[in-house]
């Protein structure tokens, strides 16, 4: 990507937890994953805990994910070098004494956790913990996963699509929106550190009998209350209610595979329809995400431009405006060193009655090199025990 402007800062996002796989897809064999452009191998040690390491054998650069797990070690497929959980090579079979290993024989090990049915990785000391979603861990709600939805765009585009109210009647008529009611209900976004909170109440869209997945039928009120938490950079906790006992938690996290690729993981918990086959919800999500994918992959640039002047924002785009502003304020998006940026209209986050941001030619604006990402402590190591595989929040 060479387009100028303000985009997600991949280096800054190394200090954020990201999903790299469904936990159920990591069993007794190593699995490859890409995160922020870095090739990773995900595997489980003898205790079942997840491990995440660089997927490059230090010997000849072979993908360690081609290898196999032996006890608490990962064995390279090419020459059988064995690696421990901390990334150190512990045995080189070609040597007369395999245990005598040079200090340089190691690969980078990263923080790893298993939670909400996902394996999470962090490439530097994390700035924030994972969101707390007790509904998904109490064991009383039925949990269904869907995805991963691998899209040709950055994770920001996928997250913003999830938060975009205006598109529901147009992209998901009859499923998430009603074409006869395109007006977005008023909502306000509260920015609380790295978490955006907002809620919306709207008439329930006609839900076709094809996908009877929502809990509105017997709750009595023909409206749905949606409470959102957007945990920067790419995780959303959405709680749906219909005024009764029925509740649904919709957990979404997008994996920033690279600057312009992502993978979205969906984990849904609910306390009703507990006997419904998982297939019904999965097919619903596949349909929704398929409808979205066509539209979002057509967007240019493929990455969210965090300069508010780069696209046109109206009042009902309040979430996107708050998201873009918070991402910049927290140093998670920044101007590329060689990029060109412009001060955004409405850059203080206040919404005007009509337009608050207007597309402008970026070449008309001065070069900008400021990077607001906070400096990281030199010498910080991803193998620090404080946040390694066994760390808990
Ligand atoms: S390339 Fe991995 S052991 Fe040789
Ligand atoms: Fe959508």
């Amino acid at each position: 990507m060479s387009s100028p402007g303000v985009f997600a800062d991949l280096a800054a996002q190394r200090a954020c937890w990201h999903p790299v796989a469904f936990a159920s897809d990591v069993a007794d064999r190593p699995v490859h994953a890409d995160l922020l452009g870095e090739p990773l191998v995900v595997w489980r040690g003898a205790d079942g805990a997840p491990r995440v390491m660089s997927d490059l054998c230090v010997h000849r650069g072979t993908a360690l994910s081609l290898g196999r797990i032996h006890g608490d070690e990962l064995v390279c497929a090419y020459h059988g070098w064995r690696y421990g959980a901390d990334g150190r090579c512990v045995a080189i079979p070609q040597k007369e004494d395999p245990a005598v290993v040079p200090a340089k024989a190691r690969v980078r090990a990263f923080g790893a956790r298993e939670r909400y049915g996902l394996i999470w990785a962090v490439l530097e000391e994390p700035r924030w913990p994972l969101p707390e979603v007790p509904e998904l861990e109490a064991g009383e709600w039925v949990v269904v996963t869907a995805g991963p939805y691998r899209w040709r765009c950055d994770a920001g585009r996928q997250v913003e699509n999830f938060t975009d109210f205006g598109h529901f009647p147009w992209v998901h008529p009859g499923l998430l929106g009603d074409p006869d009611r395109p007006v977005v209900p008023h909502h306000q976004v509260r920015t609380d550190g790295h978490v955006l909170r907002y809620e919306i109440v709207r008439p329930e869209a006609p839900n076709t009998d094809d996908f009877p997945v929502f809990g509105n039928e017997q709750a009595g009120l023909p409206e749905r209350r949606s409470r959102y938490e957007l945990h920067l950079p790419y995780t959303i906790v959405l709680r749906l209610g219909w005024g009764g006992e029925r509740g649904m938690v919709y957990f979404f996290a997008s994996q920033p595979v690279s600057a312009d690729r992502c993978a979205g993981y969906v984990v849904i918990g609910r306390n009703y329809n507990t006997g419904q086959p998982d297939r019904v919800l999965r097919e619903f999500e596949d349909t929704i995400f398929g409808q979205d994918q066509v539209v979002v992959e057509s967007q240019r640039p493929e990455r969210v431009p965090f300069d508010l002047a780069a696209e046109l924002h109206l009042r009902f785009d309040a979430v996107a405006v708050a998201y873009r502003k918070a991402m910049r304020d927290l140093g998670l998006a920044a101007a590329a060193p060689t990029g060109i940026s412009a001060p955004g209209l409405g850059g203080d986050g206040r919404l005007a009655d009509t337009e608050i941001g207007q597309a402008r030619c970026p070449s008309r604006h001065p070069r900008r090199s400021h990077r607001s990402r906070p400096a990281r402590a030199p010498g910080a190591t991803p193998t620090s025990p404080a946040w390694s595989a066994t760390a808990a929040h």
Side-chain angles (χ1 to χ4, degrees):
M1 294 295 299
S2 59
S3 47
V6 182
F7 295 104
D9 186 331
L10 268 54
Q13 299 194 22
R14 295 174 67 86
C16 303
W17 288 101
H18 301 284
V20 290
F22 277 122
S24 57
D25 289 336
V26 183
D28 54 356
R29 301 162 74 109
V31 170
H32 173 83
D34 287 297
L35 182 64
L36 300 167
E38 181 136 353
L40 303 176
V41 55
V42 185
W43 56 291
R44 291 185 188 277
D47 59 357
R51 321 269 196 232
V52 174
M53 305 188 328
S54 171
D55 197 16
L56 287 173
C57 179
V58 70
H59 182 214
R60 287 292 180 267
T62 304
L64 289 171
S65 53
L66 290 177
R68 62 187 171 83
I69 298 167
H70 182 75
D72 211 22
E73 294 164 0
L74 185 59
V75 184
C76 181
Y78 202 177
H79 307 98
W81 290 23
R82 304 209 310 262
Y83 292 88
D86 60 358
R88 278 192 313 122
C89 181
V90 295
I92 298 178
Q94 288 75 18
K95 296 187 68 178
E96 285 181 10
D97 184 350
V100 178
V101 172
K104 284 173 66 176
R106 62 181 305 149
V107 298
R108 299 187 67 195
F110 303 106
R113 295 202 64 197
E114 178 173 356
R115 210 165 170 198
Y116 309 132
L118 296 165
I119 305 294
W120 300 80
V122 64
L123 305 182
E124 293 180 2
E125 186 165 359
R127 292 175 69 178
W128 305 292
L130 290 173
E132 291 299 319
V133 192
E135 297 96 324
L136 295 180
E137 296 185 316
E140 293 164 5
W141 288 34
V142 173
V143 177
V144 179
T145 60
Y149 299 104
R150 299 185 183 280
W151 289 6
R152 301 167 74 85
C153 63
D154 83 341
R157 287 287 196 198
Q158 195 173 49
V159 163
E160 282 203 353
N161 170 252
F162 193 103
T163 67
D164 181 288
F165 293 122
H167 82 282
F168 289 159
W170 307 100
V171 180
H172 314 295
L175 296 176
L176 292 179
D178 181 349
D180 293 331
R181 290 180 298 190
V183 176
V184 176
H186 181 67
H187 57 285
Q188 281 189 320
V189 184
R190 201 172 84 233
T191 301
D192 188 9
H194 76 293
V195 184
L196 309 186
R197 298 175 205 276
Y198 54 98
E199 76 173 51
I200 197 166
V201 179
R202 58 186 169 140
E204 187 65 87
N207 191 203
T208 69
D209 290 339
D210 294 344
F211 298 108
V213 296
F214 294 123
N216 54 313
E217 281 176 17
Q218 291 151 30
L221 292 174
E223 61 181 27
R224 181 196 306 177
R225 179 179 297 272
S226 308
R227 288 180 295 132
Y228 289 80
E229 292 171 14
L230 170 43
H231 295 250
L232 268 52
Y234 303 130
T235 299
I236 296 168
V237 183
L238 164 59
R239 291 181 169 89
L240 300 178
W242 291 268
E245 292 299 309
R246 293 182 168 201
M248 174 182 266
V249 172
Y250 201 112
F251 186 90
F252 175 76
S254 188
Q255 170 186 357
V257 170
S258 65
D260 56 4
R261 294 287 186 278
C262 65
Y265 298 81
V266 174
V267 182
I268 301 170
R270 57 187 167 165
N271 62 0
Y272 61 90
N273 280 4
T274 52
Q276 189 179 62
D278 292 357
R279 172 181 49 78
V280 177
L281 208 40
R282 274 202 192 112
E283 289 177 359
F284 176 74
E285 297 306 326
D286 289 351
T287 301
I288 296 293
F289 274 83
Q291 291 171 335
D292 284 325
Q293 182 179 5
V294 178
V295 177
V296 175
E297 288 190 345
S298 80
Q299 289 179 284
R300 294 294 178 273
E302 296 91 333
R303 302 178 288 167
V304 167
F306 286 91
D307 177 351
L308 290 182
E311 294 182 331
L312 181 61
H313 309 279
L314 300 188
R315 179 181 285 276
F316 54 81
D317 294 314
V319 178
V321 171
Y323 177 65
R324 294 179 186 199
K325 185 172 187 301
M327 287 284 282
R328 289 186 67 162
D329 288 349
L330 290 169
L332 295 170
T338 57
I340 297 170
S341 175
L345 295 177
D348 60 355
R350 289 173 51 233
L351 299 183
D353 283 342
T354 55
E355 302 161 12
I356 64 161
Q358 193 165 0
R360 287 187 281 170
C361 172
S363 63
R364 289 166 46 202
H365 298 286
R367 186 172 292 265
R368 186 178 156 120
S369 61
H370 169 69
R371 291 167 70 89
S372 55
R373 181 164 63 87
R376 227 160 299 292
T381 160
T383 53
S384 162
W387 51 279
S388 65
T390 53
H393 288 286

